[in-house]
Each structure stands twice: as structure tokens, then as C-alpha cells.
Amino acid sequence: MDHRLSGQYAIAGVAESDLGVVGPGRTELSLQVQAALRAIADAGLTVKDVDGIFVQPGPFERMPGLLLAEYLGIQARVNDTTMVGGCSNLQHIEHAIAAIEAGLCEVALIAYGSTQRSAGTRQIGGVSEDPRSPRGQFEIPYGLLSPIGSYALATTRYRYLYGLEDTDLGWLAVATREWANLNPVAYRHDDPLTMSEYLASPWISWPLRRDDICLVTDGGGAIVLTRIERARDCAKKPVLVLGIASRSNAHYWVPGLDDILTTGARVTGPEAMSMAGVSHQDIDLLEIYDAFTTMPLLAVENLGFCERGQGRYFFHNGRTGPRGEMPMNTSGGGLSYCHPGMFGVFLVVEAVRQLRGECDSRQVKGVQVALCHAFGGVLSAESTVLLGKE
Amino acid sequence: MIRPHPEPTPLTEPFWQEARARRLAIQHCSSCRQYQFYPRIHCIHCGAQSLEWEVVSGRGTIYSYTVSMRAPTPAFSVPYIVAIVELDEGPRMLSNVVDCEPAEITVGSLVQVDFLALDSEISLPVFRLA
């Protein structure tokens, strides 16, 4: 995005809905609304201040933006339901800035909700596909678990080229669980994970084990975004959008990738950091989508935090954990905090709270700049967002 | 129980027709002379709509693979191997490597196409270690 927009837009409010297992009486809409009302209240605004809706569709939603606007009683001037997988809510931040900049709206509400756990809709094979579609004809008949199998394919290639060992990803899983044990709303709160427990967890799609794979929970999240001038009048200190960049990787399924280990982060990372005017050493906190341990592994390399093939050492000795020098996924991540199908919004919720200093026992000291990076699909789309204090 | 069943379309029918005869056919662009997979209306390399079907060697190399310990339907008996095969002609396709123990395969293993008849209409290209 245009560098002149760095710091011109701010996140004024964030919130989660109820998380974990919400029960059969709740719907995707109800979690979107709960998170939205909490985020609007967090900003000190009212529902009537919102004039732009950006919502990531849940599995059963056809026109969720229209439904959410109607339910909230909003005459939305912008209604965007861009769906590019788990990074959609990050792309919505970019779209919201573009929309406000173009005069289409003033206060953007970005939301997501899913009841996949209570509704029992998450299948290990993935969602069904039209048997005439490219995936229906040329992928589904082979029984690749989706999305687990796709990330397993990337992991095997990495193992072969760079000698990845089981404990390399184990360090990440263990550190992430340590963070979850500091987060009272994390699904795995009060449930420590040791390296030996990680190594004993069963293979699901070798070389990925159960403990390399995210939770299946319910949950929703929301973000309120507006111009910095307006955000200064809100209830909390604004968190600035310093830089943002997104890409879709011109593939939908992994055999279409030229190189399964080269992701869009190689482009979005430098673009977002350049817009923000920051370099790697300025970043105090990483929030990286971890539906699978493979995702942070590929992200830290492609974002340029280490050389290719060195990511396997990045997590060693609790480096990304509560006592480490590079705190990552401080909420407990998709691995141990919540994963209602799509995790993008929760990366931003946590980064904003850390920047505001609201995180109690898991608060990272002195956070000035946070980097959020999300994947969508199976390494198919990505967004990087740099957030900072005014 | 039968696997999830692909449904050929007019565009992809030649692929499945050749597969019934135990031949692997992929699209070749007569304009830029490159191959592509999966079948499309146009060439993803040059954009031309001058694609022809060509029977290829069926030889390839394992680009990556996973050993699936869980299955999407009971039609698959675990463990089974799902792999990205890089054909000698260049394109990559997803497939299974059959009659192969996980310990026998690695990235770089050479493979040869074979066909698994699901019914009279669909023979699914799979691979064996060469």
C-alpha cells in the first residue's frame, strides 16, 4: 500500500467473542455480533458510528455482510466479504483503508465468527468440492487431507532439503503452549505440553503430528478501524497501521506452486516493512498464523528473519516463548488458544492488546512494533501487517 | 467403498479417455511448446488457446509426499502415500504412490505411472516406484 498512508489509519477497537465450545444454540452470526459489539465498545463508539462492513464468510454463509449489517441496524456504505482463507481479515484492513481513503466510509468494522466445533462441521478431509472442478478431478480422488496434507507436503520437502528434525517444530509447539498457559481464555490453558509429550503425539499426515496441528474450536473476532484523527478521540490509545501488504500466490492448491517453500511473505514482508519504515530488528513481537507448525517455519524464512533452511533453528530453546528473545504467538496461537477455522483476526486482536499493554501475565515488555502475518488457503494467499504505537 | 469420484467435463474427457487405455496424456501448447497440468482452456505460460493432448512418458520424480495416517473416507486404507509427482515433461500432479512402504520412498524417488480402475469410466493415474 502507498507509503504515504503509513500511520494514517489506526485500530481503535478489538475483541473476541466467546471462544472454545459455545454450544449448539449459537450461530456464526451471533459470534460475529458479539465480537463486533465488544470491539465497538472497546473503541468507545456506538453501532451507529459504523458505516463500513468487512466480514469473512463462515462455512455456511452466503451474504454475511448483508446479514450482519441488517442485524446490527447499520446502513453500510461499504460491504466487503472478500474470502481468501485465513488471511481475509488482514486483507480487509487493507481494503478498509482503501475504502476510507476513497471517501466510501469512515468507520470500518471487520469481523469473523465460526461455530465449527459445536456444529461438528470440520472434517479431516476438508470441504467437499464439485467433482468436475480441478480439485474435484485431480486432487480429491487421491485422499489428501485438506488442509493438513498440503502443509505436510511442504514439511516433507523442507525435511529433505534442510534436514528438519522432529524437535525443531516441537520447540514451537511447546513455546506456544507456554503462552496459552498464561492466557485465561486459551483452550489449552492449564494444560502444559512437554517436548516428550509432543514427540509422543500421533502422526496424522506424516511428517505432521497431532500437536503440529491447530485446534478445532468455535469463536469470533472483530476490529474497528478508522482514520488516526478519529481514532484519537476514541476510548483507547490508537494502534497505528504502519504497513500492510497482501498477495494471492496464483495458485489454489499446492501442486500449482513453483516452489512449495517460497511463499508470498517473500513479497508482503518487505513491502509492509518498507511502508512502515521499519527493519527486522525493530520488530518486538511476531503474531504468525500457526494452523500448522510449518506455517511459522516458512514465514520466518520468507519474511527474512533468517536465511532459507535456518528457520528450523529459529524456535530452539524457547526463543519464541515467554522467556525468549523473540516472542511469537503470545495468545497461544491457533495451536493452543483457539482456531475457529480462520485465525487472521486473532493475530491482530492479540497484537493490539500487546501494544496497549493489556495482556497481564503474558504481557511482553516494551512492545513498540508488532508484525502480524497470515496465510489463506494452502499457502495460497498471504498478508503482512505492521502495527505500532503513536 | 469407492473413492471420491472425478467427473470428466468436455474439456478433460481426453485425459480420462486416454487413462482408460492406461496412457497418461497432458496438454501441450503448440504456440509456446510447453506442457501444462491440470487441463485448461488456455496455456498458462503464453495465454494461447492452441492446446493439444499429448501422451507422455508417465515417468516422474517425487517432488514431495506425505504418509496419511487418517483418511477422508473409508475408501482409503491407512497408511497411504499422497505425493506431488514432477513428470519428466515438467508439470507436477498430485497422485498416490501405490504398493510402496513409507520407508521405501524419498523426495527424488523415480516413479512410473500406473492406473487404478475405479469403474468402467474412470481409471485413476497413480504411480509406482520405478
Side-chain angles (χ1 to χ4, degrees):
Chain A
M1 189 161 242
D2 192 320
H3 291 196
R4 287 169 295 187
L5 300 178
S6 177
Q8 297 301 304
Y9 288 84
I11 294 172
V14 292
E16 304 134 312
S17 72
D18 296 341
L19 303 174
V21 185
V22 297
R26 304 290 293 279
T27 62
E28 293 166 346
L29 174 67
S30 80
L31 297 184
Q32 288 164 13
V33 169
Q34 187 184 43
L37 294 177
R38 288 176 178 175
I40 291 165
D42 187 52
L45 295 171
T46 73
V47 170
K48 295 298 177 192
D49 291 312
V50 174
D51 58 358
I53 293 226
F54 299 77
V55 58
Q56 171 165 11
F60 299 107
E61 295 184 313
R62 288 185 60 225
M63 291 177 260
L66 297 178
L67 180 58
L68 183 59
E70 176 189 88
Y71 193 98
L72 291 174
I74 291 172
Q75 191 74 42
R77 298 166 63 201
V78 178
N79 203 314
D80 178 331
T81 53
T82 298
M83 174 51 168
V84 288
C87 62
S88 301
N89 283 141
L90 273 66
Q91 291 206 8
H92 293 158
I93 293 175
E94 198 171 22
H95 294 185
I97 292 172
I100 299 171
E101 189 68 17
L104 300 180
C105 62
E106 289 183 21
V107 176
L109 170 67
I110 297 166
Y112 177 68
S114 167
T115 56
Q116 62 164 9
R117 173 85 186 206
S118 293
T121 49
R122 169 62 61 167
Q123 304 296 319
I124 196 162
V127 295
S128 61
E129 293 271 350
D130 183 336
R132 301 167 301 176
S133 70
R135 289 190 66 226
Q137 289 189 70
F138 303 110
E139 176 177 329
I140 303 296
Y142 296 108
L144 183 70
L145 303 181
S146 184
I148 298 170
S150 296
Y151 285 95
L153 288 166
T155 313
T156 303
R157 180 90 184 159
Y158 192 101
R159 284 177 77 94
Y160 173 77
L161 290 177
Y162 304 116
L164 181 78
E165 291 181 16
D166 294 349
T167 50
D168 295 336
L169 295 177
W171 282 114
L172 172 60
V174 167
T176 307
R177 182 66 62 87
E178 280 193 60
W179 285 117
N181 279 295
L182 299 173
N183 182 357
V185 301
Y187 194 74
R188 295 291 187 207
H189 185 63
D190 284 336
D191 182 8
L193 178 71
T194 65
M195 182 66 89
S196 56
E197 286 167 339
Y198 165 85
L199 291 171
S201 77
W203 301 114
I204 304 296
S205 191
W206 182 93
L208 293 182
R209 309 167 187 277
R210 184 197 61 206
D211 287 348
D212 289 307
I213 298 170
C214 62
L215 303 164
V216 175
T217 72
D218 303 325
I223 299 165
V224 175
L225 181 138
T226 188
R227 281 185 199 276
I228 179 62
E229 295 82 5
R230 179 111 187 229
R232 285 191 189 114
D233 295 333
C234 289
K236 301 247 176 102
K237 280 197 168 180
V239 168
L240 305 179
V241 179
L242 299 176
I244 185 163
S246 302
R247 279 293 185 287
S248 66
N249 295 340
H251 80 283
Y252 182 43
W253 60 327
V254 289
L257 272 164
D258 287 339
D259 174 3
I260 201 167
L261 303 179
T262 299
T263 84
R266 198 159 285 267
V267 181
T268 61
E271 280 187 7
M273 280 190 246
S274 168
M275 177 178 169
V278 302
S279 54
H280 293 89
Q281 58 266 30
D282 299 321
I283 293 163
D284 308 305
L285 173 70
L286 296 174
E287 301 291 343
I288 296 180
Y289 198 151
D290 60 341
F292 306 94
T293 49
T294 318
M295 292 158 81
L297 171 72
L298 296 183
V300 294
E301 293 188 4
N302 283 282
L303 289 168
F305 284 92
C306 58
E307 293 296 312
R308 185 156 161 161
Q310 299 298 305
R312 54 171 290 211
Y313 305 112
F314 193 86
F315 312 104
H316 279 204
N317 301 310
R319 185 159 171 261
T320 59
R323 292 168 304 284
E325 67 195 64
M326 190 66 258
M328 176 190 289
N329 296 352
T330 48
S331 61
L335 293 173
S336 291
Y337 149 62
C338 74
H339 194 279
M342 305 286 169
F343 193 69
V345 71
F346 301 98
L347 301 170
V348 176
V349 169
E350 176 69 10
V352 167
R353 288 175 173 167
Q354 287 283 353
L355 283 158
R356 288 175 176 171
E358 296 177 339
C359 290
D360 299 326
S361 63
R362 69 176 192 282
Q363 180 64 47
V364 177
K365 289 191 174 60
V367 184
Q368 297 294 321
V369 179
L371 181 149
C372 303
H373 184 80
F375 295 87
V378 286
L379 301 167
S380 322
E382 285 167 77
S383 285
T384 307
V385 183
L386 274 295
L387 299 174
K389 291 185 185 177
E390 189 164 34
Chain B
M1 186 169 173
I2 194 164
R3 291 176 180 229
H5 204 287
E7 265 185 42
T9 63
L11 175 73
T12 64
E13 178 53 34
F15 175 89
W16 296 108
Q17 193 179 324
E18 293 291 348
R20 278 195 291 278
R22 304 181 62 81
R23 290 189 293 261
L24 183 67
I26 62 174
Q27 288 179 316
H28 183 253
C29 177
S30 59
S31 179
C32 75
R33 309 212 170 274
Q34 297 198 68
Y35 292 96
Q36 73 178 11
F37 189 81
Y38 50 86
R40 292 166 167 90
I41 292 168
H42 70 297
C43 171
I44 55 171
H45 305 291
C46 75
Q49 295 187 25
S50 51
L51 294 160
E52 293 163 354
W53 289 95
E54 193 172 304
V55 174
V56 292
S57 65
R59 287 192 299 269
T61 308
I62 297 298
Y63 178 77
S64 196
Y65 69 100
T66 176
V67 184
S68 206
M69 311 300 283
R70 300 275 302 273
T73 79
F76 298 88
S77 54
V78 296
Y80 58 97
I81 298 172
V82 187
I84 299 174
V85 174
E86 185 167 302
L87 300 174
D88 281 5
E89 291 79 10
R92 295 191 195 130
M93 57 188 293
L94 197 77
S95 192
N96 295 128
V97 180
V98 298
D99 295 329
C100 171
E101 292 297 321
E104 296 178 288
I105 187 174
T106 182
V107 171
S109 292
L110 301 179
V111 291
Q112 175 70 43
V113 75
D114 195 0
F115 293 87
L116 182 66
L118 301 187
D119 58 23
S120 61
E121 190 196 10
I122 298 293
S123 284
L124 199 62
V126 295
F127 287 80
R128 294 178 183 281
L129 293 179

